[in-house]
CSV table of all heavy atoms in Angstrom, one decimal:
chain,number,residue,atom,x,y,z
A,160,ALA,N,-32.3,19.9,-30.8
A,160,ALA,CA,-31.5,19.2,-29.8
A,160,ALA,C,-31.3,20.0,-28.5
A,160,ALA,O,-31.2,19.5,-27.4
A,160,ALA,CB,-30.1,18.7,-30.3
A,289,GLN,N,24.6,-19.8,12.1
A,289,GLN,CA,25.2,-20.9,12.8
A,289,GLN,C,26.3,-20.6,13.8
A,289,GLN,O,27.0,-21.5,14.3
A,289,GLN,CB,25.8,-21.9,11.8
A,289,GLN,CG,24.9,-22.3,10.6
A,289,GLN,CD,23.7,-23.1,11.1
A,289,GLN,OE1,23.8,-23.8,12.1
A,289,GLN,NE2,22.5,-22.9,10.5
A,352,GLY,N,21.3,-10.9,9.0
A,352,GLY,CA,21.8,-9.5,9.3
A,352,GLY,C,22.5,-8.8,8.2
A,352,GLY,O,22.5,-7.6,8.1
A,389,ASP,N,27.7,-13.4,-19.6
A,389,ASP,CA,27.6,-14.8,-19.0
A,389,ASP,C,27.5,-14.7,-17.5
A,389,ASP,O,28.3,-13.9,-16.9
A,389,ASP,CB,28.8,-15.7,-19.4
A,389,ASP,CG,28.9,-15.9,-20.9
A,389,ASP,OD1,27.9,-15.6,-21.6
A,389,ASP,OD2,29.9,-16.3,-21.4
A,419,ALA,N,22.6,-5.4,-16.7
A,419,ALA,CA,24.0,-5.7,-16.4
A,419,ALA,C,24.1,-5.9,-14.9
A,419,ALA,O,23.5,-5.2,-14.1
A,419,ALA,CB,24.9,-4.6,-16.9
Side-chain angles (χ1 to χ4, degrees):
Q289 307 295 329
D389 296 345

